[in-house]
Amino acid sequence: MEAIVLAAGYSSRANAFKMNWPLGQISVLEQTISKFEGVCSRVIVVSGFKAELIEEEIAKICHKNAFSFQIKVVYNENFHQGMFTSIQKGCNEVSSASFFLTPGDCPLVKKETVQVLAEHKGNVVIPSFQYKGGHPIKLAKTVKQKILETNPESNLRVVLNGFEKKYLNVDDPGVIMDVDTKEDYQKAIQYCLPLHKQNPFRNS
């Protein structure tokens, strides 16, 4: 299984480049990526805006971690056209029968949630907390094909509306928590504090 992590956006609502913000003792992006350990063989990170910072962050992550998966960074030259072009760019790289898709600023998902999602079959599997859908979502190869065939000016919602969705209710508020704004970031820091001692990827 593989995962696509979207890290190409402008971070406009945060008024700063948030992917390398510290969260716990690692960055937002590393927190997001680390959740696929033991589940995925490869994580595809799609860069765009400030791509060089993503490259630097991934180089740091690879230097200090011995993850079981490979990390590949792909640059979306059309990132300014919107997130769907980044999803298409990532899908171009996917070769597995199913894959995860998540924005890079969704770092608080429990690793156990990812493991549970991986075991569920379906074209579209979406984690939900208190019946609100979140990330990462798990998609089948047939959905990937539809994404690639769709006009780049469209969006993921339109594509997913053509498939039956399975919602998996999980006891994990992290699936609906992102770091869109500086306020979100402060909440994420507070949320991370009690989890920090359990984080196997933190620096010692």
Side-chain angles (χ1 to χ4, degrees):
M1 192 176 291
E2 294 167 293
I4 298 171
V5 175
L6 304 170
Y10 287 106
S11 301
S12 54
R13 289 182 64 194
N15 292 318
F17 193 69
K18 60 195 176 188
M19 291 298 163
N20 53 11
W21 282 352
L23 190 56
Q25 290 191 359
I26 59 178
S27 68
V28 167
L29 184 58
E30 186 175 345
Q31 287 279 9
T32 301
I33 289 171
S34 69
K35 306 305 164 61
F36 299 107
E37 172 68 20
V39 177
C40 292
S41 59
R42 192 163 68 129
V43 173
I44 299 151
V45 179
V46 184
S47 68
F49 181 63
K50 295 198 175 179
E52 68 285 354
L53 293 182
I54 295 293
E55 292 278 0
E56 287 172 16
E57 185 61 32
I58 294 299
K60 281 187 211 165
I61 291 169
C62 291
H63 178 71
K64 65 182 181 179
N65 290 302
F67 285 130
S68 61
F69 52 74
Q70 295 177 316
I71 302 178
K72 178 171 185 178
V73 182
V74 292
Y75 175 65
N76 175 22
E77 59 281 356
N78 298 315
F79 72 90
H80 56 280
Q81 294 177 14
M83 187 185 287
F84 192 62
T85 63
S86 293
I87 294 171
Q88 289 180 315
K89 192 76 178 183
C91 283
N92 265 319
E93 301 290 330
V94 169
S95 57
S96 55
S98 60
F99 63 100
F100 289 104
L101 174 65
T102 187
D105 64 355
C106 294
L108 300 175
V109 177
K110 292 177 184 173
K111 206 172 152 190
E112 294 78 9
T113 298
V114 175
Q115 291 166 342
V116 170
L117 285 165
E119 293 164 8
H120 270 70
K121 295 192 180 348
N123 283 322
V124 180
V125 183
I126 302 171
S128 71
F129 178 72
Q130 296 179 347
Y131 302 99
K132 183 178 178 183
H135 290 95
I137 61 174
K138 193 181 87 159
L139 303 174
K141 191 181 275 186
T142 49
V143 183
K144 178 193 88 168
Q145 204 52 45
K146 187 65 179 172
I147 287 170
L148 292 174
E149 291 167 1
T150 300
N151 188 313
E153 294 179 3
S154 186
N155 60 66
L156 185 63
R157 188 186 300 272
V158 169
V159 174
L160 297 188
N161 281 343
F163 294 89
E164 181 188 355
K165 301 180 190 74
K166 289 187 178 176
Y167 286 91
L168 186 63
N169 210 37
V170 293
D171 184 20
D172 182 1
V175 301
I176 57 170
M177 296 175 73
D178 58 16
V179 185
D180 252 357
T181 65
K182 287 187 176 174
E183 290 74 24
D184 293 337
Y185 177 53
Q186 291 305 319
K187 287 178 189 171
I189 290 171
Q190 292 305 311
Y191 184 80
C192 248
L193 287 175
L195 301 177
H196 179 57
K197 290 180 182 177
Q198 305 164 28
N199 184 356
F201 298 102
R202 76 186 193 279
N203 294 335
S204 54

